[in-house]
Amino acid sequence: MKQKVMEWAWSLVHRARADSGMTTSEYAVGTIAACAFAAVLYKVVTSAPVMAQLQSLLKDALDAKF
């Protein structure tokens, strides 16, 4: 009985290790999603309202009295 339990446990460990990690297609989809997110983020950050807010924030930070 103990031997069967040990064999069952090792088979679970082996299956978990055999299926760990991503396949090539998952890497491709993840890379495309990351690039799309970066493009959207770039468009948002470089938009006029966000640039104005960032410039205002930096100006206020640099003009702060210590």
Side-chain angles (χ1 to χ4, degrees), residues 14-15 24 30 39 59-60:
H14 178 68
R15 275 188 262 154
T24 304
K59 182 179 178 288
D60 292 344

Side-chain angles (χ1 to χ4, degrees), residues 32-56:
I32 291 169
C35 290
F37 180 71
V40 169
L41 186 61
Y42 177 77
K43 282 292 195 178
V44 168
V45 170
T46 58
S47 68
V50 175
M51 288 294 279
Q53 286 292 332
L54 287 173
Q55 287 175 349
S56 173

Side-chain angles (χ1 to χ4, degrees), residues 2 6 10 13 16-17 21 23 26-27 36 38 43 47 51:
K2 185 177 179 183
M6 291 298 291
W10 278 111
V13 169
R17 287 184 182 165
T23 63
E26 289 170 329
Y27 277 114
K43 282 292 195 178
S47 68
M51 288 294 279

